[in-house]
């Protein structure tokens, strides 16, 4: 989708600091980090929200989670811990409508989240 910010990052039209890429997934640093490490992981396929997932997306979402594990290991936070978040819809604070998993680490996280 040419009018989607994250599709534009996938196709290189908009630059991003990419930290991981495989056949199905791209991971890049968040422009406005909320923790010392803040990486966004996205499927290359355009899927707007969790609500739009189909059963055929099972594999790509599995790949997304596995990629998060690899990025956490590569960034040295696997042992200290990290948080993963997928915001879905307005009340959750989703602002980019291409599904993405936030990987946050490097500081103590609080619960419940705000
Ligand atoms: P959401 O609020 O939809 O869960 O998360 C969207 C995230 O995308 C935010 O954390 C925001 O900082 C990040 N973001 C928005 N625009 C850009 C951009 O152009 N480049 C990068 N790297 N991150 C972006
Ligand atoms: Zn998209």
């Amino acid at each position: 989708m040419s009018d989607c910010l994250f599709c534009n990052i996938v196709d290189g039209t908009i630059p991003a600091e990419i930290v991981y890429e495989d056949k199905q997934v791209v991971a890049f640093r968040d422009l406005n980090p909320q923790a010392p490490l803040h990486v966004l992981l996205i499927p290359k396929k355009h899927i707007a929200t969790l609500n739009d997932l189909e059963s055929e997306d099972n594999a790509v979402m599995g790949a997304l989670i596995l990629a998060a594990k690899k990025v956490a290991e590569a960034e040295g936070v696997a042992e200290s811990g990290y948080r993963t978040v997928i915001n879905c819809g307005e009340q959750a604070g989703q602002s980019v409508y291409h599904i993405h998993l936030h990987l946050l680490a490097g500081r103590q996280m609080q619960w419940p989240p705000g």
Side-chain angles (χ1 to χ4, degrees):
M1 278 177 64
S2 59
D3 59 346
C4 169
L5 175 63
F6 286 174
C7 283
N8 288 338
I9 287 177
V10 170
D11 69 23
T13 314
I14 290 179
E17 191 182 340
I18 292 173
V19 297
Y20 175 87
E21 182 168 6
D22 63 29
K23 203 165 58 129
Q24 300 187 93
V25 174
V26 178
F28 51 92
R29 298 195 194 282
D30 197 293
L31 202 59
N32 183 24
Q34 301 302 310
L37 177 69
H38 189 172
V39 169
L40 301 174
L41 296 103
I42 65 172
K44 289 182 176 176
K45 175 184 176 184
H46 180 85
I47 303 166
T49 80
L50 280 177
N51 290 337
D52 299 295
L53 286 173
E54 310 274 2
S55 54
E56 69 186 29
D57 299 320
N58 194 30
V60 71
M61 294 309 288
L64 196 73
I65 303 285
L66 278 171
K69 174 196 154 177
K70 290 178 191 166
V71 171
E73 283 172 351
E75 296 285 334
V77 300
E79 295 307 317
S80 52
Y82 54 96
R83 179 166 291 174
T84 57
V85 176
I86 300 177
N87 294 320
C88 180
E90 190 187 344
Q91 280 204 343
Q94 185 173 5
S95 60
V96 178
Y97 280 77
H98 178 131
I99 203 167
H100 50 281
L101 182 138
H102 295 259
L103 169 56
L104 299 139
R107 65 169 171 80
Q108 183 61 51
M109 300 293 158
Q110 307 301 322
W111 197 263

